[in-house]
Amino acid sequence: MTPANHDAIPERILLGPGPSLADPRVLRVMSQPMIGYLDPAYLDIMNEVARNLRDTLQTKNAATFPVQGTGFSGMDSCFGTLIEPGDKVIIAVLGFFGIRMCEMAERYGANVVRLDQEWGKAFEPETIGEALKANPDAKFLAIIHAETSTGVLQPLQEIGALCREHGVLFLVDAVTSVGGVELAVDDWGIDICYSGSQKCLGVPPGLAPVTINDRALGVVAERATPPASYYLDLSLIKEYWGEAHVYHHTGPMAMVYAMQEALRIIMEEGLEARWARHALNGSALRAGLEALGLVLHAEAGCRLPSLTTVRVPEGVDDAALRGRLLNEFNLEIGGGLGPLKGNTWRIGMMGYASKRSNVLYLLSVLETLLTEAGLRPARPGAGMAAAQEVYLQSAEAQN
Ligand SMILES: *Cc1c(COP(=O)(O)O)cnc(C)c1O
């Protein structure tokens, strides 16, 4: 279906694995005038974006900026800037995005030591510790903080400490965590980290915030050959975002205006309040889904607030139900990836979209469609009632 004009683009409620909804404030600033990429007014915006990104990522790293491109440009720039052909790297895979890391590392000629965890569980630090002990010559260890394919939140703090102990750099994909779940780059010993604009930050797809510390930049400086990609070479991009503002590419200003506004919104809300909002809506959603008789996929104890995985119940047609959600109710949720394709739904509650009205609306529509498919809950309204209970208890706890 190709819309004949822009008015024909439907207004969806995006509760999938991304993109998420952007705050109308963010969309409005994107229509501001174009200016030159070295205009003093633009440089002021860049400086503010870098400053607020440091606060959001909880880092003092000077080299903190959004890389031009979607989340994978963050992955590509970090891997490409660090890896030289023949380098050994350890990649801890807990789902689809970890596999993508392995594929990317291999393209750059890395010798990948791959660790695998069952899809739906997090790694125990002991497993990572053993791999580090067996491979102290690895250049870095990479892991996904929030695995969007499985709905797992991987604890990082102990892994960061282990990497330090073994003198191996720690590289983290925080695409679905930044702005929705606590992440403390400096305190957790993370040396390089990238994210994406369209998940919990609530910006349209097109930017990948990256931070890299001096330790990792020191390793980059010792490369025998420059990175294969000029466009995604972090040591060059950082000179454009740094004080000297050395031309490297044309700043994608509409995207950077959007990032500026989204980061202002985050600073206004406060990081902790934002994490608490994501946690609350995540737990209300999970309670509601379980009350509808559905089974959550990710293991209890490591469930990601910003993305919930739930099994498609027996007898329900995955694609048909998601099609009805979209076409009749304007609701987008995601299907499964890899081994979870066809049997798991991925429900995002990210950024601007993470709110009570969306949780309750989705639960009520899901109940309607599941009832029509013959899966009537024990009590009408069971999903919404369970979610309401979570909100009530949270409100009471605050009083
Ligand atoms: C979405 C996502 C990416 C990729 O981002 P794109 O914007 O699609 O390029 C990478 N890693 C994780 C964990 C993601 O959820």
Side-chain angles (χ1 to χ4, degrees):
M1 189 186 74
T2 315
N5 59 56
H6 292 291
D7 296 337
I9 294 175
E11 264 198 51
R12 307 294 197 198
I13 298 175
L14 298 177
L15 304 181
S20 71
L21 291 171
D23 189 306
R25 273 175 64 181
V26 170
L27 296 177
R28 271 198 298 275
V29 299
M30 295 184 77
S31 60
Q32 292 177 113
M34 291 301 104
I35 51 180
Y37 59 85
L38 292 176
D39 188 307
Y42 188 61
L43 302 185
D44 282 347
I45 294 173
M46 290 173 77
N47 293 339
E48 179 187 324
V49 164
R51 215 168 40 239
N52 283 337
L53 257 186
R54 278 181 209 110
D55 288 350
T56 302
L57 297 168
Q58 304 202 77
T59 180
K60 297 210 159 32
N61 293 340
T64 303
F65 44 79
V67 167
Q68 65 287 357
T70 66
F72 281 128
S73 77
M75 190 188 282
D76 212 325
S77 62
C78 292
F79 278 51
T81 301
L82 278 163
I83 298 171
E84 286 194 80
D87 279 347
K88 183 191 268 192
V89 304
I90 307 171
I91 301 181
V93 175
L94 49 146
F96 173 90
F97 292 95
I99 294 176
R100 180 66 65 90
M101 278 182 159
C102 295
E103 291 169 346
M104 233 179 239
E106 275 161 10
R107 291 260 179 131
Y108 286 110
N111 161 18
V112 176
V113 176
R114 173 171 164 175
L115 314 177
D116 274 282
Q117 175 57 293
E118 204 181 307
W119 286 40
K121 292 184 175 172
F123 275 95
E124 293 297 334
E126 292 72 34
T127 313
I128 305 284
E130 280 162 25
L132 286 164
K133 199 184 278 176
N135 300 283
D137 53 335
K139 195 171 218 174
F140 62 74
L141 179 136
I143 199 163
I144 311 276
H145 185 207
E147 215 349 308
T148 322
S149 63
T150 62
V152 166
L153 180 66
Q154 169 68 53
L156 296 178
Q157 216 161 349
E158 286 177 74
I159 299 177
L162 286 166
C163 285
R164 252 332 125 86
E165 210 175 283
H166 289 88
V168 172
L169 293 173
F170 188 27
L171 190 163
V172 169
D173 172 312
V175 175
T176 299
S177 56
V178 171
V181 180
E182 181 179 13
L183 172 77
V185 166
D186 290 355
D187 284 355
W188 294 357
I190 299 169
D191 298 295
I192 318 116
C193 178
Y194 62 86
S195 186
S197 55
Q198 81 275 24
K199 311 266 169 115
C200 300
L201 289 168
V203 175
L207 288 176
V210 165
T211 188
I212 177 165
N213 66 15
D214 289 342
R215 214 157 77 99
L217 284 171
V219 170
V220 174
E222 282 165 22
R223 288 182 62 114
T225 54
S229 170
Y230 194 100
Y231 190 58
L232 291 176
D233 180 344
L234 290 175
S235 50
L236 297 177
I237 301 171
K238 88 173 169 41
E239 296 305 315
Y240 175 43
W241 278 88
E243 267 166 43
H245 293 295
V246 180
Y247 171 65
H248 172 263
H249 61 273
T250 302
M253 47 274 306
M255 287 305 305
V256 173
Y257 300 158
M259 183 60 75
Q260 178 191 31
E261 190 68 7
L263 292 170
R264 282 184 179 178
I265 291 169
I266 291 176
M267 294 298 125
E268 285 164 21
E269 181 174 9
L271 282 176
E272 301 207 344
R274 198 171 170 95
W275 300 331
R277 170 164 64 85
H278 281 79
L280 177 61
N281 291 321
S283 59
L285 174 69
R286 291 193 300 271
L289 292 170
E290 289 193 302
L292 288 177
L294 303 180
V295 177
L296 300 174
H297 172 74
E299 194 173 61
C302 63
R303 290 177 180 152
L304 180 58
S306 47
L307 188 119
T308 297
T309 43
V310 59
R311 303 228 173 92
V312 178
E314 200 80 29
V316 170
D317 182 331
D318 164 36
L321 186 132
R322 282 189 291 117
R324 289 194 64 194
L325 280 177
L326 189 69
N327 297 319
E328 296 172 35
F329 300 93
N330 268 326
L331 278 165
E332 178 180 278
I333 67 167
L337 282 177
L340 303 183
K341 189 174 160 63
N343 59 42
T344 307
W345 289 319
R346 296 184 295 153
I347 305 176
M349 287 288 164
M350 301 181 189
Y352 180 70
S354 173
K355 48 180 158 191
R356 182 160 72 162
S357 54
N358 288 338
V359 171
L360 296 177
Y361 179 46
L362 177 67
L363 288 171
S364 84
V365 173
L366 260 185
E367 177 176 326
T368 305
L369 298 187
L370 291 173
T371 301
E372 285 175 21
L375 298 171
R376 189 184 289 275
R379 230 163 8 94
M384 279 192 292
Q388 279 292 16
E389 191 55 36
V390 171
Y391 289 119
L392 275 174
Q393 280 175 13
S394 153
E396 276 165 19
Q398 277 172 16
N399 290 332

Short mmCIF file of all heavy atoms in Angstrom, two decimals, residues 88-93 102 106 110-115 131 135 137-138:
data_model
loop_
_atom_site.label_atom_id
_atom_site.label_comp_id
_atom_site.label_asym_id
_atom_site.label_seq_id
_atom_site.Cartn_x
_atom_site.Cartn_y
_atom_site.Cartn_z
N LYS A 88 41.37 -10.63 18.09
CA LYS A 88 40.42 -11.52 18.78
C LYS A 88 39.43 -10.68 19.57
O LYS A 88 39.81 -9.74 20.27
CB LYS A 88 41.18 -12.45 19.72
CG LYS A 88 40.29 -13.45 20.42
CD LYS A 88 41.02 -14.17 21.54
CE LYS A 88 41.66 -15.46 21.06
NZ LYS A 88 42.12 -16.28 22.22
N VAL A 89 38.14 -10.98 19.43
CA VAL A 89 37.12 -10.30 20.23
C VAL A 89 36.17 -11.35 20.80
O VAL A 89 35.94 -12.38 20.18
CB VAL A 89 36.32 -9.25 19.40
CG1 VAL A 89 37.24 -8.23 18.77
CG2 VAL A 89 35.48 -9.90 18.32
N ILE A 90 35.64 -11.05 22.00
CA ILE A 90 34.67 -11.97 22.62
C ILE A 90 33.29 -11.34 22.48
O ILE A 90 33.11 -10.17 22.83
CB ILE A 90 34.98 -12.19 24.12
CG1 ILE A 90 36.44 -12.63 24.32
CG2 ILE A 90 34.01 -13.20 24.73
CD1 ILE A 90 36.87 -12.64 25.79
N ILE A 91 32.34 -12.08 21.95
CA ILE A 91 30.98 -11.56 21.82
C ILE A 91 30.03 -12.50 22.55
O ILE A 91 29.97 -13.70 22.28
CB ILE A 91 30.57 -11.38 20.35
CG1 ILE A 91 31.57 -10.41 19.67
CG2 ILE A 91 29.14 -10.85 20.24
CD1 ILE A 91 31.30 -10.10 18.23
N ALA A 92 29.32 -11.93 23.53
CA ALA A 92 28.36 -12.71 24.32
C ALA A 92 26.99 -12.52 23.68
O ALA A 92 26.45 -11.43 23.68
CB ALA A 92 28.36 -12.22 25.77
N VAL A 93 26.46 -13.60 23.12
CA VAL A 93 25.23 -13.55 22.33
C VAL A 93 24.04 -14.03 23.15
O VAL A 93 24.00 -15.17 23.58
CB VAL A 93 25.38 -14.43 21.06
CG1 VAL A 93 24.07 -14.48 20.28
CG2 VAL A 93 26.52 -13.93 20.18
N CYS A 102 28.34 -10.45 15.84
CA CYS A 102 29.33 -11.42 15.36
C CYS A 102 29.56 -11.25 13.86
O CYS A 102 30.70 -11.27 13.39
CB CYS A 102 28.87 -12.85 15.64
SG CYS A 102 28.74 -13.23 17.39
N GLU A 106 33.07 -10.12 12.08
CA GLU A 106 33.74 -10.97 11.10
C GLU A 106 34.02 -10.20 9.80
O GLU A 106 35.06 -10.38 9.17
CB GLU A 106 32.90 -12.23 10.83
CG GLU A 106 33.21 -13.28 11.87
CD GLU A 106 32.15 -14.37 11.99
OE1 GLU A 106 31.25 -14.43 11.13
OE2 GLU A 106 32.24 -15.15 12.97
N ALA A 110 37.69 -9.85 12.30
CA ALA A 110 37.98 -10.29 13.67
C ALA A 110 37.91 -11.81 13.78
O ALA A 110 37.20 -12.48 13.04
CB ALA A 110 36.98 -9.66 14.64
N ASN A 111 38.67 -12.30 14.75
CA ASN A 111 38.60 -13.70 15.13
C ASN A 111 37.64 -13.71 16.34
O ASN A 111 38.00 -13.28 17.42
CB ASN A 111 40.03 -14.13 15.46
CG ASN A 111 40.10 -15.39 16.28
OD1 ASN A 111 39.15 -16.14 16.37
ND2 ASN A 111 41.26 -15.59 16.92
N VAL A 112 36.40 -14.15 16.08
CA VAL A 112 35.34 -14.01 17.10
C VAL A 112 35.26 -15.23 18.02
O VAL A 112 35.11 -16.36 17.56
CB VAL A 112 33.96 -13.79 16.43
CG1 VAL A 112 32.85 -13.74 17.48
CG2 VAL A 112 33.97 -12.51 15.60
N VAL A 113 35.38 -14.97 19.32
CA VAL A 113 35.09 -16.00 20.32
C VAL A 113 33.64 -15.76 20.73
O VAL A 113 33.32 -14.75 21.34
CB VAL A 113 36.02 -15.87 21.54
CG1 VAL A 113 35.64 -16.89 22.61
CG2 VAL A 113 37.47 -16.01 21.12
N ARG A 114 32.75 -16.67 20.32
CA ARG A 114 31.32 -16.45 20.55
C ARG A 114 30.80 -17.26 21.73
O ARG A 114 30.99 -18.47 21.79
CB ARG A 114 30.55 -16.81 19.27
CG ARG A 114 29.05 -16.78 19.43
CD ARG A 114 28.35 -16.92 18.09
NE ARG A 114 26.95 -17.28 18.28
CZ ARG A 114 26.06 -17.37 17.30
NH1 ARG A 114 26.45 -17.15 16.04
NH2 ARG A 114 24.81 -17.70 17.54
N LEU A 115 30.16 -16.57 22.66
CA LEU A 115 29.50 -17.24 23.78
C LEU A 115 28.00 -17.18 23.51
O LEU A 115 27.51 -16.17 23.04
CB LEU A 115 29.78 -16.52 25.11
CG LEU A 115 31.22 -16.11 25.40
CD1 LEU A 115 31.28 -15.34 26.71
CD2 LEU A 115 32.12 -17.34 25.45
N ALA A 131 35.41 -16.89 30.19
CA ALA A 131 35.82 -16.58 28.81
C ALA A 131 36.95 -15.55 28.80
O ALA A 131 37.87 -15.64 27.99
CB ALA A 131 34.62 -16.06 28.02
N ASN A 135 40.73 -16.04 27.41
CA ASN A 135 41.10 -15.21 26.24
C ASN A 135 41.56 -13.81 26.66
O ASN A 135 40.98 -12.81 26.25
CB ASN A 135 39.90 -15.07 25.29
CG ASN A 135 39.42 -16.41 24.77
OD1 ASN A 135 40.03 -17.00 23.89
ND2 ASN A 135 38.32 -16.90 25.34
N ASP A 137 43.89 -12.20 25.70
CA ASP A 137 44.44 -11.45 24.57
C ASP A 137 43.34 -10.82 23.71
O ASP A 137 43.63 -10.20 22.69
CB ASP A 137 45.32 -12.38 23.70
CG ASP A 137 44.57 -13.65 23.28
OD1 ASP A 137 43.61 -14.06 24.00
OD2 ASP A 137 44.93 -14.23 22.25
N ALA A 138 42.07 -10.96 24.12
CA ALA A 138 40.97 -10.36 23.34
C ALA A 138 41.06 -8.83 23.41
O ALA A 138 41.48 -8.27 24.42
CB ALA A 138 39.63 -10.83 23.87
#
